[in-house]
Amino acid sequence: MPKQRITKEMVVNAAFELARYGGMEQVMVKTIAEKIGCSVQPIYSYCKNMEELRQDVAIQVKCFIKEYLASHLDKKDPFRSTGQAYIQLTKEEPHLFKIFILHKRNGISSLEDLYQTEADEQIPIFLSQHFNISITQAKQLHLDMLIYTIGIGTIFSVTTPGISSDEILAQQERIYQILIKNILEGNHES
């Protein structure tokens, strides 16, 4: 039987699968080689170091999450449905959620930097039109909800035996309503 040619894509895909089902701590040369069914040598030939491989996995995780969120988006309510999708993702893919949230983000020195790097630029436009608020207010509302959703999603992903997703979604909806009410009341006072 001819020897299988190991590619970098195979290495990264195997590392992604290991991370998906066991967390980033499962991404080791030995476990990748076992998953692919090869010796450790081909793994070393594609990876300068494990940090570089983990960055490749984090990029693949980010792509996975972007596709996941897009597939769960309600175009009539992208703001609420995106937040709900994050919570669903946390339930279905807890290891990927943790990798996404905890991966190092270089060049971020403010919440504005984070927002510009991570946020979907269409959401503030939707919010501005839907609630008749300024783009600045819409961005602030979106940032507030992102911070809250990431926080509650993180709590959801690390509790045992686990908080029910219904309780988490109800809490998320409560905060959503409070934030909307706050912005709309602020507009009437101006």
Side-chain angles (χ1 to χ4, degrees):
M1 183 154 122
K3 205 171 189 183
Q4 178 181 357
R5 175 159 158 59
I6 306 300
T7 65
K8 182 173 183 178
E9 182 180 10
M10 291 169 70
V11 171
V12 174
N13 288 340
F16 172 83
E17 288 299 313
L18 289 164
R20 182 178 187 182
Y21 296 108
M24 195 65 94
E25 55 275 3
Q26 295 300 311
V27 178
M28 299 177 288
V29 173
K30 182 181 175 194
T31 56
I32 295 167
E34 288 171 3
K35 180 136 184 83
I36 295 173
C38 68
S39 71
V40 296
Q41 178 53 41
I43 312 302
Y44 284 118
S45 68
Y46 288 114
C47 306
K48 291 179 187 153
N49 59 55
M50 288 307 291
E51 187 56 36
E52 181 182 292
L53 178 58
R54 288 187 178 106
Q55 285 300 324
D56 289 342
V57 170
I59 290 167
Q60 194 164 343
V61 168
K62 189 173 184 177
C63 291
F64 176 93
I65 289 174
K66 186 176 182 180
E67 289 172 17
Y68 182 96
L69 295 175
S71 72
H72 289 77
L73 183 72
D74 176 353
K75 294 195 188 298
K76 293 179 192 149
D77 193 356
F79 180 60
R80 183 182 276 132
S81 66
T82 299
Q84 292 168 344
Y86 267 109
I87 299 304
Q88 190 65 32
L89 171 78
T90 304
K91 181 179 181 180
E92 293 175 10
E93 302 284 353
H95 295 295
L96 295 185
F97 179 81
K98 288 174 197 170
I99 292 166
F100 175 70
I101 295 304
L102 298 176
H103 82 272
K104 188 173 180 95
R105 289 164 169 82
N106 295 317
I108 305 295
S109 59
S110 68
L111 289 175
E112 177 64 23
D113 290 347
L114 181 67
Y115 185 80
Q116 292 300 322
T117 304
E118 302 281 331
D120 179 343
E121 64 218 22
Q122 296 304 309
I123 300 291
I125 295 167
F126 167 82
L127 292 171
S128 175
Q129 294 168 351
H130 186 74
F131 293 110
N132 196 26
I133 59 178
S134 72
I135 288 290
T136 302
Q137 289 173 309
K139 285 182 177 179
Q140 186 62 55
L141 173 61
H142 190 206
L143 176 62
D144 291 343
M145 200 65 205
L146 281 171
I147 291 168
Y148 187 81
T149 297
I150 289 167
I152 200 164
T154 303
I155 291 166
F156 186 46
S157 73
V158 298
T159 57
T160 304
I163 302 168
S164 81
S165 56
D166 289 343
E167 184 179 355
I168 295 292
L169 289 169
Q171 181 66 18
Q172 185 185 42
E173 180 65 21
R174 190 178 81 74
I175 295 303
Y176 170 81
Q177 294 298 332
I178 289 169
L179 292 172
I180 298 290
K181 182 180 177 189
N182 185 38
I183 283 199
L184 294 178
E185 284 177 356
N187 277 353
H188 293 300
E189 292 173 7
S190 301

Tab-separated table of all heavy atoms in Angstrom, residues 69 73 77-84 86 111-112 114-128 131 133-151 172 175-176 179-180 182-183:
chain	number	residue	atom	x	y	z
A	69	LEU	N	-22.664	31.300	12.796
A	69	LEU	CA	-23.527	32.447	13.083
A	69	LEU	C	-24.350	32.827	11.853
A	69	LEU	O	-25.546	33.111	11.964
A	69	LEU	CB	-22.702	33.631	13.570
A	69	LEU	CG	-21.992	33.447	14.913
A	69	LEU	CD1	-21.118	34.648	15.222
A	69	LEU	CD2	-22.977	33.185	16.038
A	73	LEU	N	-28.638	33.026	11.503
A	73	LEU	CA	-29.076	34.415	11.480
A	73	LEU	C	-30.506	34.536	10.967
A	73	LEU	O	-30.858	33.959	9.938
A	73	LEU	CB	-28.134	35.231	10.583
A	73	LEU	CG	-28.405	36.718	10.496
A	73	LEU	CD1	-28.014	37.402	11.796
A	73	LEU	CD2	-27.617	37.322	9.346
A	77	ASP	N	-34.264	39.913	12.221
A	77	ASP	CA	-33.795	40.347	13.543
A	77	ASP	C	-32.357	39.865	13.754
A	77	ASP	O	-32.081	39.022	14.604
A	77	ASP	CB	-34.710	39.804	14.642
A	77	ASP	CG	-34.456	40.464	15.992
A	77	ASP	OD1	-33.517	41.284	16.102
A	77	ASP	OD2	-35.189	40.148	16.939
A	78	PRO	N	-31.407	40.412	12.978
A	78	PRO	CA	-30.020	39.923	13.075
A	78	PRO	C	-29.378	40.187	14.426
A	78	PRO	O	-28.552	39.415	14.874
A	78	PRO	CB	-29.295	40.679	11.953
A	78	PRO	CG	-30.131	41.884	11.689
A	78	PRO	CD	-31.546	41.486	12.000
A	79	PHE	N	-29.773	41.250	15.091
A	79	PHE	CA	-29.177	41.584	16.384
A	79	PHE	C	-29.501	40.517	17.419
A	79	PHE	O	-28.611	39.898	17.995
A	79	PHE	CB	-29.683	42.951	16.832
A	79	PHE	CG	-29.132	43.415	18.154
A	79	PHE	CD1	-27.769	43.590	18.331
A	79	PHE	CD2	-29.982	43.705	19.201
A	79	PHE	CE1	-27.263	44.034	19.536
A	79	PHE	CE2	-29.484	44.161	20.413
A	79	PHE	CZ	-28.121	44.324	20.581
A	80	ARG	N	-30.776	40.272	17.636
A	80	ARG	CA	-31.200	39.291	18.636
A	80	ARG	C	-30.754	37.886	18.230
A	80	ARG	O	-30.248	37.125	19.044
A	80	ARG	CB	-32.707	39.342	18.818
A	80	ARG	CG	-33.203	38.408	19.892
A	80	ARG	CD	-34.720	38.439	20.010
A	80	ARG	NE	-35.120	39.545	20.862
A	80	ARG	CZ	-36.086	40.422	20.553
A	80	ARG	NH1	-36.731	40.321	19.436
A	80	ARG	NH2	-36.385	41.380	21.395
A	81	SER	N	-30.922	37.541	16.955
A	81	SER	CA	-30.594	36.177	16.527
A	81	SER	C	-29.102	35.887	16.592
A	81	SER	O	-28.709	34.755	16.864
A	81	SER	CB	-31.150	35.896	15.125
A	81	SER	OG	-30.526	36.691	14.136
A	82	THR	N	-28.263	36.893	16.401
A	82	THR	CA	-26.822	36.681	16.537
A	82	THR	C	-26.466	36.370	17.989
A	82	THR	O	-25.715	35.435	18.268
A	82	THR	CB	-26.028	37.913	16.045
A	82	THR	OG1	-26.311	38.124	14.669
A	82	THR	CG2	-24.527	37.717	16.234
A	83	GLY	N	-27.042	37.117	18.917
A	83	GLY	CA	-26.800	36.847	20.339
A	83	GLY	C	-27.282	35.463	20.736
A	83	GLY	O	-26.594	34.730	21.454
A	84	GLN	N	-28.458	35.089	20.253
A	84	GLN	CA	-28.997	33.766	20.550
A	84	GLN	C	-28.121	32.674	19.935
A	84	GLN	O	-27.914	31.626	20.541
A	84	GLN	CB	-30.436	33.652	20.052
A	84	GLN	CG	-31.392	34.527	20.830
A	84	GLN	CD	-32.765	34.646	20.178
A	84	GLN	OE1	-32.955	34.335	19.013
A	84	GLN	NE2	-33.732	35.129	20.949
A	86	TYR	N	-24.903	32.826	19.439
A	86	TYR	CA	-23.705	32.678	20.267
A	86	TYR	C	-23.977	31.746	21.444
A	86	TYR	O	-23.152	30.901	21.787
A	86	TYR	CB	-23.218	34.030	20.807
A	86	TYR	CG	-22.189	34.717	19.953
A	86	TYR	CD1	-22.521	35.859	19.239
A	86	TYR	CD2	-20.888	34.231	19.856
A	86	TYR	CE1	-21.578	36.508	18.446
A	86	TYR	CE2	-19.947	34.872	19.081
A	86	TYR	CZ	-20.299	35.999	18.375
A	86	TYR	OH	-19.366	36.628	17.601
A	111	LEU	N	-11.812	49.017	23.795
A	111	LEU	CA	-13.042	48.325	23.373
A	111	LEU	C	-13.399	48.712	21.943
A	111	LEU	O	-13.933	47.902	21.194
A	111	LEU	CB	-14.193	48.639	24.328
A	111	LEU	CG	-14.078	48.009	25.709
A	111	LEU	CD1	-15.202	48.484	26.623
A	111	LEU	CD2	-14.074	46.489	25.625
A	112	GLU	N	-13.084	49.932	21.551
A	112	GLU	CA	-13.326	50.366	20.163
A	112	GLU	C	-12.499	49.520	19.185
A	112	GLU	O	-13.006	49.087	18.153
A	112	GLU	CB	-12.996	51.857	20.002
A	112	GLU	CG	-13.150	52.377	18.581
A	112	GLU	CD	-14.580	52.330	18.041
A	112	GLU	OE1	-15.546	52.311	18.825
A	112	GLU	OE2	-14.728	52.299	16.808
A	114	LEU	N	-11.441	46.490	19.694
A	114	LEU	CA	-12.058	45.165	19.701
A	114	LEU	C	-13.315	45.157	18.844
A	114	LEU	O	-13.522	44.260	18.034
A	114	LEU	CB	-12.386	44.744	21.142
A	114	LEU	CG	-13.008	43.358	21.293
A	114	LEU	CD1	-12.008	42.279	20.907
A	114	LEU	CD2	-13.500	43.147	22.713
A	115	TYR	N	-14.141	46.166	19.017
A	115	TYR	CA	-15.389	46.255	18.252
A	115	TYR	C	-15.102	46.319	16.746
A	115	TYR	O	-15.725	45.606	15.964
A	115	TYR	CB	-16.204	47.471	18.704
A	115	TYR	CG	-17.555	47.542	18.040
A	115	TYR	CD1	-18.607	46.761	18.505
A	115	TYR	CD2	-17.782	48.365	16.942
A	115	TYR	CE1	-19.848	46.798	17.896
A	115	TYR	CE2	-19.013	48.410	16.330
A	115	TYR	CZ	-20.044	47.625	16.807
A	115	TYR	OH	-21.266	47.668	16.191
A	116	GLN	N	-14.167	47.158	16.368
A	116	GLN	CA	-13.831	47.302	14.949
A	116	GLN	C	-13.309	45.993	14.354
A	116	GLN	O	-13.554	45.687	13.198
A	116	GLN	CB	-12.793	48.414	14.747
A	116	GLN	CG	-13.306	49.797	15.039
A	116	GLN	CD	-14.474	50.195	14.160
A	116	GLN	OE1	-14.536	49.893	12.981
A	116	GLN	NE2	-15.438	50.876	14.753
A	117	THR	N	-12.580	45.230	15.155
A	117	THR	CA	-11.986	43.981	14.694
A	117	THR	C	-12.980	42.833	14.657
A	117	THR	O	-12.955	42.020	13.734
A	117	THR	CB	-10.810	43.586	15.616
A	117	THR	OG1	-9.887	44.663	15.655
A	117	THR	CG2	-10.105	42.351	15.132
A	118	GLU	N	-13.876	42.770	15.631
A	118	GLU	CA	-14.714	41.584	15.824
A	118	GLU	C	-16.161	41.720	15.352
A	118	GLU	O	-16.800	40.726	15.059
A	118	GLU	CB	-14.729	41.202	17.310
A	118	GLU	CG	-13.371	40.930	17.896
A	118	GLU	CD	-12.821	39.566	17.560
A	118	GLU	OE1	-13.605	38.635	17.354
A	118	GLU	OE2	-11.584	39.442	17.499
A	119	ALA	N	-16.708	42.922	15.335
A	119	ALA	CA	-18.148	43.082	15.133
A	119	ALA	C	-18.553	43.053	13.660
A	119	ALA	O	-17.797	43.452	12.784
A	119	ALA	CB	-18.613	44.378	15.775
A	120	ASP	N	-19.764	42.609	13.437
A	120	ASP	CA	-20.386	42.636	12.111
A	120	ASP	C	-20.873	44.060	11.859
A	120	ASP	O	-21.753	44.560	12.560
A	120	ASP	CB	-21.552	41.636	12.083
A	120	ASP	CG	-22.290	41.599	10.759
A	120	ASP	OD1	-22.151	42.537	9.937
A	120	ASP	OD2	-23.026	40.621	10.532
A	121	GLU	N	-20.333	44.703	10.846
A	121	GLU	CA	-20.644	46.110	10.601
A	121	GLU	C	-22.081	46.354	10.147
A	121	GLU	O	-22.563	47.486	10.151
A	121	GLU	CB	-19.661	46.686	9.576
A	121	GLU	CG	-19.786	46.029	8.224
A	121	GLU	CD	-18.469	45.814	7.522
A	121	GLU	OE1	-17.430	45.773	8.162
A	121	GLU	OE2	-18.509	45.669	6.303
A	122	GLN	N	-22.793	45.289	9.761
A	122	GLN	CA	-24.185	45.445	9.327
A	122	GLN	C	-25.151	45.587	10.509
A	122	GLN	O	-26.230	46.163	10.355
A	122	GLN	CB	-24.602	44.256	8.454
A	122	GLN	CG	-23.822	44.149	7.146
A	122	GLN	CD	-23.906	45.421	6.314
A	122	GLN	OE1	-24.988	45.935	6.059
A	122	GLN	NE2	-22.755	45.948	5.904
A	123	ILE	N	-24.783	45.057	11.660
A	123	ILE	CA	-25.692	45.086	12.815
A	123	ILE	C	-26.011	46.520	13.247
A	123	ILE	O	-27.187	46.850	13.441
A	123	ILE	CB	-25.137	44.243	13.990
A	123	ILE	CG1	-24.950	42.782	13.578
A	123	ILE	CG2	-26.023	44.374	15.223
A	123	ILE	CD1	-26.203	41.994	13.337
A	124	PRO	N	-25.023	47.425	13.403
A	124	PRO	CA	-25.382	48.793	13.800
A	124	PRO	C	-26.287	49.489	12.774
A	124	PRO	O	-27.153	50.273	13.156
A	124	PRO	CB	-24.045	49.516	13.925
A	124	PRO	CG	-23.015	48.471	13.992
A	124	PRO	CD	-23.577	47.249	13.355
A	125	ILE	N	-26.101	49.179	11.514
A	125	ILE	CA	-26.964	49.772	10.478
A	125	ILE	C	-28.402	49.296	10.687
A	125	ILE	O	-29.343	50.096	10.678
A	125	ILE	CB	-26.449	49.411	9.064
A	125	ILE	CG1	-25.076	50.061	8.841
A	125	ILE	CG2	-27.448	49.841	7.996
A	125	ILE	CD1	-24.325	49.547	7.632
A	126	PHE	N	-28.557	47.992	10.912
A	126	PHE	CA	-29.887	47.438	11.180
A	126	PHE	C	-30.490	48.091	12.420
A	126	PHE	O	-31.652	48.525	12.413
A	126	PHE	CB	-29.820	45.919	11.371
A	126	PHE	CG	-31.078	45.327	11.949
A	126	PHE	CD1	-32.158	45.043	11.139
A	126	PHE	CD2	-31.187	45.092	13.318
A	126	PHE	CE1	-33.328	44.528	11.673
A	126	PHE	CE2	-32.350	44.578	13.863
A	126	PHE	CZ	-33.432	44.300	13.042
A	127	LEU	N	-29.731	48.165	13.499
A	127	LEU	CA	-30.234	48.731	14.753
A	127	LEU	C	-30.629	50.193	14.589
A	127	LEU	O	-31.668	50.630	15.102
A	127	LEU	CB	-29.184	48.597	15.855
A	127	LEU	CG	-28.881	47.184	16.333
A	127	LEU	CD1	-27.676	47.177	17.265
A	127	LEU	CD2	-30.087	46.570	17.018
A	128	SER	N	-29.809	50.942	13.884
A	128	SER	CA	-30.081	52.355	13.654
A	128	SER	C	-31.409	52.539	12.926
A	128	SER	O	-32.239	53.377	13.323
A	128	SER	CB	-28.937	52.975	12.846
A	128	SER	OG	-29.234	54.307	12.511
A	131	PHE	N	-34.592	50.890	15.182
A	131	PHE	CA	-34.983	51.612	16.396
A	131	PHE	C	-34.957	53.130	16.226
A	131	PHE	O	-35.210	53.854	17.181
A	131	PHE	CB	-34.095	51.203	17.573
A	131	PHE	CG	-34.291	49.786	18.002
A	131	PHE	CD1	-33.305	48.841	17.782
A	131	PHE	CD2	-35.478	49.385	18.610
A	131	PHE	CE1	-33.494	47.517	18.171
A	131	PHE	CE2	-35.671	48.076	19.002
A	131	PHE	CZ	-34.680	47.133	18.776
A	133	ILE	N	-32.384	55.172	15.794
A	133	ILE	CA	-31.343	55.740	16.645
A	133	ILE	C	-30.124	56.036	15.772
A	133	ILE	O	-30.024	55.550	14.638
A	133	ILE	CB	-30.967	54.794	17.812
A	133	ILE	CG1	-30.472	53.428	17.300
A	133	ILE	CG2	-32.156	54.626	18.765
A	133	ILE	CD1	-30.027	52.450	18.391
A	134	SER	N	-29.204	56.806	16.294
A	134	SER	CA	-28.000	57.156	15.536
A	134	SER	C	-27.089	55.933	15.399
A	134	SER	O	-27.179	54.983	16.186
A	134	SER	CB	-27.242	58.292	16.225
A	134	SER	OG	-26.617	57.818	17.409
A	135	ILE	N	-26.210	55.978	14.432
A	135	ILE	CA	-25.227	54.898	14.252
A	135	ILE	C	-24.344	54.792	15.498
A	135	ILE	O	-24.007	53.691	15.928
A	135	ILE	CB	-24.365	55.135	12.985
A	135	ILE	CG1	-25.187	54.892	11.729
A	135	ILE	CG2	-23.112	54.280	12.988
A	135	ILE	CD1	-25.551	53.428	11.489
A	136	THR	N	-23.993	55.935	16.094
A	136	THR	CA	-23.181	55.913	17.311
A	136	THR	C	-23.908	55.178	18.429
A	136	THR	O	-23.320	54.332	19.113
A	136	THR	CB	-22.832	57.356	17.757
A	136	THR	OG1	-22.130	57.997	16.688
A	136	THR	CG2	-21.997	57.367	19.019
A	137	GLN	N	-25.190	55.469	18.620
A	137	GLN	CA	-25.976	54.765	19.630
A	137	GLN	C	-26.101	53.282	19.284
A	137	GLN	O	-26.024	52.432	20.171
A	137	GLN	CB	-27.381	55.373	19.741
A	137	GLN	CG	-27.417	56.737	20.371
A	137	GLN	CD	-28.807	57.346	20.279
A	137	GLN	OE1	-29.405	57.393	19.207
A	137	GLN	NE2	-29.323	57.795	21.415
A	138	ALA	N	-26.282	52.992	18.017
A	138	ALA	CA	-26.429	51.597	17.579
A	138	ALA	C	-25.142	50.814	17.842
A	138	ALA	O	-25.193	49.670	18.304
A	138	ALA	CB	-26.796	51.552	16.099
A	139	LYS	N	-23.995	51.432	17.577
A	139	LYS	CA	-22.717	50.759	17.852
A	139	LYS	C	-22.542	50.517	19.342
A	139	LYS	O	-22.067	49.458	19.756
A	139	LYS	CB	-21.542	51.575	17.295
A	139	LYS	CG	-21.399	51.478	15.803
A	139	LYS	CD	-20.195	52.274	15.311
A	139	LYS	CE	-20.018	52.111	13.818
A	139	LYS	NZ	-18.879	52.889	13.323
A	140	GLN	N	-22.923	51.495	20.157
A	140	GLN	CA	-22.800	51.327	21.606
A	140	GLN	C	-23.723	50.220	22.103
A	140	GLN	O	-23.323	49.381	22.910
A	140	GLN	CB	-23.102	52.640	22.345
A	140	GLN	CG	-22.855	52.555	23.836
A	140	GLN	CD	-21.401	52.259	24.165
A	140	GLN	OE1	-20.499	52.971	23.734
A	140	GLN	NE2	-21.150	51.209	24.934
A	141	LEU	N	-24.959	50.184	21.596
A	141	LEU	CA	-25.900	49.123	21.956
A	141	LEU	C	-25.337	47.764	21.566
A	141	LEU	O	-25.363	46.816	22.350
A	141	LEU	CB	-27.242	49.366	21.260
A	141	LEU	CG	-28.295	48.271	21.383
A	141	LEU	CD1	-28.674	48.040	22.837
A	141	LEU	CD2	-29.519	48.637	20.547
A	142	HIS	N	-24.791	47.679	20.371
A	142	HIS	CA	-24.217	46.426	19.884
A	142	HIS	C	-23.028	46.002	20.738
A	142	HIS	O	-22.925	44.844	21.147
A	142	HIS	CB	-23.818	46.592	18.417
A	142	HIS	CG	-23.430	45.336	17.743
A	142	HIS	ND1	-22.572	45.316	16.670
A	142	HIS	CD2	-23.764	44.036	17.961
A	142	HIS	CE1	-22.404	44.071	16.267
A	142	HIS	NE2	-23.113	43.270	17.035
A	143	LEU	N	-22.141	46.933	21.036
A	143	LEU	CA	-20.985	46.632	21.880
A	143	LEU	C	-21.435	46.164	23.264
A	143	LEU	O	-20.923	45.161	23.775
A	143	LEU	CB	-20.068	47.852	22.016
A	143	LEU	CG	-18.874	47.698	22.963
A	143	LEU	CD1	-17.936	46.590	22.495
A	143	LEU	CD2	-18.131	49.022	23.100
A	144	ASP	N	-22.399	46.862	23.859
A	144	ASP	CA	-22.899	46.464	25.176
A	144	ASP	C	-23.441	45.037	25.145
A	144	ASP	O	-23.163	44.233	26.039
A	144	ASP	CB	-24.004	47.415	25.653
A	144	ASP	CG	-23.502	48.815	25.988
A	144	ASP	OD1	-22.278	48.993	26.161
A	144	ASP	OD2	-24.339	49.734	26.063
A	145	MET	N	-24.194	44.719	24.103
A	145	MET	CA	-24.791	43.384	24.019
A	145	MET	C	-23.728	42.326	23.735
A	145	MET	O	-23.812	41.214	24.267
A	145	MET	CB	-25.885	43.362	22.948
A	145	MET	CG	-26.857	42.238	23.104
A	145	MET	SD	-27.809	42.401	24.640
A	145	MET	CE	-28.237	40.697	24.892
A	146	LEU	N	-22.723	42.665	22.931
A	146	LEU	CA	-21.623	41.724	22.681
A	146	LEU	C	-20.886	41.397	23.978
A	146	LEU	O	-20.606	40.233	24.266
A	146	LEU	CB	-20.634	42.296	21.664
A	146	LEU	CG	-21.021	42.219	20.199
A	146	LEU	CD1	-20.035	43.015	19.345
A	146	LEU	CD2	-21.096	40.787	19.729
A	147	ILE	N	-20.585	42.433	24.746
A	147	ILE	CA	-19.873	42.222	26.009
A	147	ILE	C	-20.706	41.330	26.923
A	147	ILE	O	-20.196	40.370	27.510
A	147	ILE	CB	-19.545	43.573	26.693
A	147	ILE	CG1	-18.480	44.317	25.885
A	147	ILE	CG2	-19.093	43.368	28.129
A	147	ILE	CD1	-18.294	45.772	26.294
A	148	TYR	N	-21.988	41.622	27.021
A	148	TYR	CA	-22.855	40.827	27.886
A	148	TYR	C	-22.962	39.385	27.384
A	148	TYR	O	-22.842	38.437	28.163
A	148	TYR	CB	-24.250	41.462	27.994
A	148	TYR	CG	-25.087	40.735	29.008
A	148	TYR	CD1	-24.940	41.017	30.363
A	148	TYR	CD2	-25.957	39.718	28.640
A	148	TYR	CE1	-25.655	40.322	31.318
A	148	TYR	CE2	-26.676	39.015	29.588
A	148	TYR	CZ	-26.524	39.319	30.923
A	148	TYR	OH	-27.221	38.614	31.858
A	149	THR	N	-23.169	39.226	26.088
A	149	THR	CA	-23.337	37.881	25.522
A	149	THR	C	-22.076	37.049	25.688
A	149	THR	O	-22.146	35.867	26.039
A	149	THR	CB	-23.746	37.973	24.035
A	149	THR	OG1	-25.015	38.634	23.975
A	149	THR	CG2	-23.855	36.613	23.387
A	150	ILE	N	-20.921	37.647	25.460
A	150	ILE	CA	-19.668	36.916	25.640
A	150	ILE	C	-19.501	36.528	27.107
A	150	ILE	O	-19.117	35.396	27.421
A	150	ILE	CB	-18.474	37.745	25.127
A	150	ILE	CG1	-18.514	37.804	23.597
A	150	ILE	CG2	-17.148	37.175	25.616
A	150	ILE	CD1	-17.598	38.829	22.980
A	151	GLY	N	-19.834	37.435	28.006
A	151	GLY	CA	-19.727	37.129	29.431
A	151	GLY	C	-20.650	36.005	29.857
A	151	GLY	O	-20.218	35.028	30.477
A	172	GLN	N	-30.467	36.787	28.761
A	172	GLN	CA	-29.959	37.573	27.632
A	172	GLN	C	-31.073	38.477	27.080
A	172	GLN	O	-30.837	39.653	26.792
A	172	GLN	CB	-29.437	36.627	26.549
A	172	GLN	CG	-28.791	37.320	25.386
A	172	GLN	CD	-28.402	36.327	24.306
A	172	GLN	OE1	-29.152	35.403	23.992
A	172	GLN	NE2	-27.230	36.513	23.742
A	175	ILE	N	-31.713	41.511	29.381
A	175	ILE	CA	-30.714	42.570	29.207
A	175	ILE	C	-30.926	43.294	27.881
A	175	ILE	O	-30.809	44.515	27.806
A	175	ILE	CB	-29.276	41.993	29.316
A	175	ILE	CG1	-29.034	41.457	30.727
A	175	ILE	CG2	-28.225	43.024	28.922
A	175	ILE	CD1	-29.229	42.472	31.851
A	176	TYR	N	-31.240	42.541	26.831
A	176	TYR	CA	-31.550	43.130	25.527
A	176	TYR	C	-32.657	44.176	25.681
A	176	TYR	O	-32.526	45.301	25.208
A	176	TYR	CB	-31.958	42.005	24.566
A	176	TYR	CG	-32.536	42.461	23.254
A	176	TYR	CD1	-31.725	42.863	22.208
A	176	TYR	CD2	-33.917	42.463	23.047
A	176	TYR	CE1	-32.262	43.263	20.999
A	176	TYR	CE2	-34.463	42.862	21.847
A	176	TYR	CZ	-33.634	43.269	20.821
A	176	TYR	OH	-34.171	43.674	19.630
A	179	LEU	N	-31.428	47.294	27.604
A	179	LEU	CA	-30.554	48.144	26.787
A	179	LEU	C	-31.352	48.930	25.744
A	179	LEU	O	-31.104	50.127	25.537
A	179	LEU	CB	-29.469	47.299	26.117
A	179	LEU	CG	-28.421	46.693	27.043
A	179	LEU	CD1	-27.522	45.725	26.285
A	179	LEU	CD2	-27.592	47.772	27.724
A	180	ILE	N	-32.300	48.276	25.108
A	180	ILE	CA	-33.141	48.952	24.107
A	180	ILE	C	-33.945	50.068	24.784
A	180	ILE	O	-33.985	51.211	24.302
A	180	ILE	CB	-34.110	47.946	23.425
A	180	ILE	CG1	-33.357	46.861	22.681
A	180	ILE	CG2	-35.099	48.672	22.514
A	180	ILE	CD1	-32.629	47.286	21.449
A	182	ASN	N	-33.327	51.665	27.521
A	182	ASN	CA	-32.417	52.723	27.941
A	182	ASN	C	-32.099	53.674	26.786
A	182	ASN	O	-32.142	54.900	26.953
A	182	ASN	CB	-31.138	52.101	28.514
A	182	ASN	CG	-30.196	53.125	29.074
A	182	ASN	OD1	-30.616	54.099	29.683
A	182	ASN	ND2	-28.914	52.912	28.869
A	183	ILE	N	-31.809	53.130	25.640
A	183	ILE	CA	-31.475	53.979	24.483
A	183	ILE	C	-32.693	54.755	24.003
A	183	ILE	O	-32.604	55.943	23.733
A	183	ILE	CB	-30.853	53.135	23.347
A	183	ILE	CG1	-29.421	52.840	23.712
A	183	ILE	CG2	-30.955	53.843	22.011
A	183	ILE	CD1	-28.524	52.428	22.632
